[in-house]
């Protein structure tokens, strides 16, 4: 095997060594959707597919290296539908997930479909993989399932079939089907069962695990190969005990990989499901951080070769030493970079590499292991190529009660010896977290002269079950205090003006920004909320129409009224900017509309911008550009214009 890599057209190293002067870059350099995303190699290795974003349009492109031919097989303006993930079913077909904002029976939600796109068939182009059957003389019409894109097995050795789960027969009780891709015929493998919301197959493509929820009780059912019967294996009350998350089966059908608690952090275990007591063997643990990623499988032998782990230098840990050796060869050729193999050909001799760093947006490369070559293909953010960026620094500080909080600082460009204004940028969730690496929003603010701190406040994921559970029924409490402590620490540690600090956040981060406006005005000079939760009671009411109502009720707790920013408007004394998309299916636009109305009633200093057809994640380019422009104008007005760039 040849793992020496000869770099060709390697623009990334040019960027790493760039030492030019800082400059104010156009909003589009940061706010445009990535020019290229999600590059994947075909099974044969002769073609690549990728998502292209251009002038607000998103497209899936396919380039055949042998024929030197490029075609764009699926296009959207992102208003009517969004392209989600996609997969190579075989060398002649792409399977693409698409999501649509809909209003059905008075309920606003998102529906998803799986489309099959033929690459070499002039008579056929784009068709749904599976659809509900209409009413017939003998049978009633099938349920129009909300999610019709759930692939649970691609069956590489049988590329004309896939296995999917979908609830056509009974709402919220998906059955499992084997689907023929050519004609859409389906064979039901397992009928939907009470409270089972998801299924997992083993590497022999048998349905082996069902999981679901009864109220707030999580449970798992295993199909026992010895008895040919289903049996209960785990049950626990959500938020009361550490999760057990099945990740997938090994090539040995008796080995199930799970994520579970190990000495206060989530780790990876191998479980022998052939034995009644389900013995566990520790596969991978990190004493400082949870291992939050999924399994990595070999395309050649279908066994588990590693695990994705965000705290590893390249985002993954290999169990198999041959793959670890290959990764080491890549890292030697691309030092000081985050190097992640995103896709292999079926024989694993060709691959797609994604490489980036904290100061360099990502680029994609095509590798050939037989030739020992690595060639540059595509950039994510071409307008930032060879531009000096700040990069993130990992930091930690002590909260007022002594708890250690980690986070990332992106230093203002051009700050010189003069104190810069600053932004506290809390993530959404709240049970999520920020990582290191390139961050388009943090870099935008830094380029404008603002120092940015992204704290992984208590309630964030990644730091163990106990740390994460600080988010449960504690909205507006210590989680909120951590953000104030973060601002004070930043002003005392970096060259930051403590009187010019703004809090900017989306989703839960938007909630935190509004709470800061009502309760932490001595620290923050302004607040920006994008798609923020303003009313916990409203959020709970909206959840009644969905299956997660019991979970939301348990998560928010009993003090929804007093912990809702909308009920604290009279206390707000700093300027507030609200932004929201009217097609947000995660946090209803009613939160910001009602908040704006109440701010107006109390004659508060605020602005409200609503994006037509906008979604929760700023995935429409014109909305992202408009949001950055509006936030920049707001920040400049209230915490001072950016400093001159040196």
């Amino acid at each position: 095997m040849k793992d020496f890599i000869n770099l060709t057209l390697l623009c990334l190293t040019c960027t790493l060594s760039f030492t030019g002067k800082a400059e104010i870059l156009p909003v589009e350099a940061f706010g445009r959707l990535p020019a290229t995303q999600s590059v994947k190699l075909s099974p044969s290795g002769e073609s690549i597919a990728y998502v292209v974003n251009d002038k607000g349009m998103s497209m899936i492109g396919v380039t055949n290296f042998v024929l030197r031919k490029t075609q764009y097989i699926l296009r959207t303006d992102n208003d009517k539908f969004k392209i989600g993930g996609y997969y190579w079913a075989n060398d002649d077909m792409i399977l693409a997930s698409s999501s649509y904002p809909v209003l059905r029976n008075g309920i606003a939600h998102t529906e998803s479909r799986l489309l099959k796109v033929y690459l070499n068939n002039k008579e056929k182009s784009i068709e749904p993989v599976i659809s509900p059957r209409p009413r017939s003389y003998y049978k009633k019409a099938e349920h129009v399932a909300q999610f019709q894109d759930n692939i649970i097995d691609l069956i590489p050795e049988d590329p004309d079939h896939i296995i999917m789960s979908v609830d056509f027969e009974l709402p919220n009780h998906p059955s499992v089907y084997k689907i023929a891709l050519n004609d859409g015929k389906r064979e039901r493998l397992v009928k939907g069962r009470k409270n089972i919301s998801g299924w997992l197959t083993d590497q022999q493509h048998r349905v082996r695990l069902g999981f679901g929820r009864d109220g707030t009780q999580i449970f798992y059912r295993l199909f026992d190969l010895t008895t040919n019967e289903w049996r209960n294996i785990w049950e626990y009350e959500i938020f009361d005990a550490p999760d057990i998350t099945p990740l997938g089966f090994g090539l040995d059908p008796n080995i199930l990989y799970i994520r579970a608690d190990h000495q206060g952090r989530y780790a990876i275990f191998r479980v022998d499901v052939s034995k009644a007591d389900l013995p566990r063997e520790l596969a991978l643990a990190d004493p400082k951080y949870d291992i939050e990623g999924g399994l990595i499988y070999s395309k050649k032998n279908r066994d588990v070769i590693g695990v994705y782990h965000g705290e590893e230098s390249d985002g993954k840990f290999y169990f198999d030493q041959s793959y670890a050796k290959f990764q080491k060869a890549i890292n030697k050729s691309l030092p000081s970079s985050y190097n992640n193999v995103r896709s292999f050909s079926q024989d694993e001799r060709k691959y797609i590499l994604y490489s980036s760093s904290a100061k360099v947006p990502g680029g994609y490369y095509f590798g050939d292991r037989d030739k020992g070559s690595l060639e540059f293909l595509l950039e994510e953010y071409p307008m930032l190529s060879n531009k000096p960026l700040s990069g993130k620094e990992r930091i930690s500080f002590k909260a007022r009660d002594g708890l250690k909080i980690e986070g990332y600082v992106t230093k203002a460009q051009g700050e010189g010896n003069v104190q810069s204004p600053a932004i506290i940028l809390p993530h959404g969730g709240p049970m999520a977290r920020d990582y290191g690496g390139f961050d388009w929003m943090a870099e935008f603010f830094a380029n404008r002269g603002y120092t940015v701190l992204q704290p992984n406040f208590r309630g964030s994921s990644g730091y163990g079950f106990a740390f994460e559970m600080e988010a449960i029924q504690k909205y507006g409490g210590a989680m909120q205090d951590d953000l104030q402590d973060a601002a004070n620490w930043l002003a005392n540690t970096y060259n930051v003006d403590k009187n010019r600090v703004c809090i900017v956040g989306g989703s839960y981060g938007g909630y935190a920004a509004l709470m800061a406006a009502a309760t932490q005005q001595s620290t923050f000079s302004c607040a920006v909320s994008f798609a923020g939760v303003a009313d916990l009671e409203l959020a709970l009411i909206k959840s009644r129409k969905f299956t997660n109502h019991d979970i939301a009720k348990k998560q928010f707790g009993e003090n929804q009224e007093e912990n809702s920013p909308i009920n604290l408007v009279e206390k707000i004394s700093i300027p507030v900017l609200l932004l929201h998309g009217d097609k947000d299916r995660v946090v209803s636009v009613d939160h910001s509309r009602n908040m704006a109305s109440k701010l107006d009633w109390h004659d508060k200093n605020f602005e409200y911008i609503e994006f037509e057809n906008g979604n929760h994640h700023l995935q429409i380019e014109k909305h992202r550009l408009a949001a950055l422009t509006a936030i920049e104008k707001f920040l400049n007005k209230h915490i001072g214009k950016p400093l001159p760039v040196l």
Side-chain angles (χ1 to χ4, degrees), residues 43-232:
S44 67
E46 294 182 355
S47 299
I48 58 169
Y50 41 89
V51 175
V52 175
N53 298 297
D54 182 45
K55 297 178 181 178
M57 296 290 295
S58 294
M59 301 164 279
I60 295 181
V62 176
T63 297
N64 186 296
F65 296 134
V66 177
L67 301 177
R68 297 184 179 276
K69 170 187 174 184
T70 295
Q71 55 182 317
Y72 295 97
I73 60 175
L74 185 64
R75 301 170 184 261
T76 178
D77 62 2
N78 292 308
D79 280 340
K80 294 181 180 178
F81 75 93
K82 282 286 302 175
I83 297 173
Y86 75 91
Y87 313 88
W88 282 95
N90 51 59
D91 280 306
D92 297 315
M93 183 182 291
I94 295 281
L95 303 176
S97 174
S98 57
S99 59
Y100 308 78
V102 299
L103 184 65
R104 193 181 299 279
N105 299 323
I107 303 175
H109 62 277
T110 299
E111 292 185 353
S112 59
R113 304 287 180 266
L114 187 66
L115 306 175
K116 54 183 176 182
V117 187
Y118 298 87
L119 304 183
N120 302 302
N121 190 325
K122 295 181 179 180
E123 296 181 359
K124 297 180 179 180
S125 55
I126 302 174
E127 299 175 353
V129 171
I130 189 170
S131 299
R133 290 168 177 159
R135 181 177 179 178
S136 67
Y137 182 79
Y138 299 101
K139 297 181 179 180
K140 66 179 182 180
E142 289 183 324
H143 170 243
V144 180
Q146 180 180 357
F147 304 109
Q148 297 179 30
D149 63 342
N150 189 22
I151 300 174
I152 59 177
D153 201 330
L154 283 169
I155 323 182
E157 61 269 37
D158 181 9
D160 295 325
H161 291 83
I162 60 172
I163 297 176
M164 297 180 64
S165 67
V166 64
D167 55 336
F168 284 147
E169 296 168 285
L170 188 63
N172 302 317
H173 296 79
S175 296
V176 182
Y177 302 94
K178 185 176 183 180
I179 314 293
L181 292 173
N182 289 330
D183 57 19
K185 291 182 179 179
R186 53 172 131 133
E187 172 192 359
R188 191 177 70 189
L189 302 180
V190 176
K191 186 177 181 180
R193 302 187 178 203
K194 183 179 180 181
N195 295 328
I196 296 288
S197 59
W199 301 92
L200 192 65
T201 57
D202 61 19
Q203 294 306 300
Q204 290 71 36
H205 316 298
R206 297 168 295 201
V207 183
R208 292 290 308 285
L209 193 73
F211 50 91
R213 177 172 49 83
D214 185 1
T216 55
Q217 187 80 11
I218 308 297
F219 63 86
Y220 297 93
R221 308 284 187 262
L222 174 77
F223 184 76
D224 193 309
L225 296 177
T226 303
T227 64
N228 288 328
E229 293 181 352
W230 292 90
R231 64 184 176 93
N232 299 344

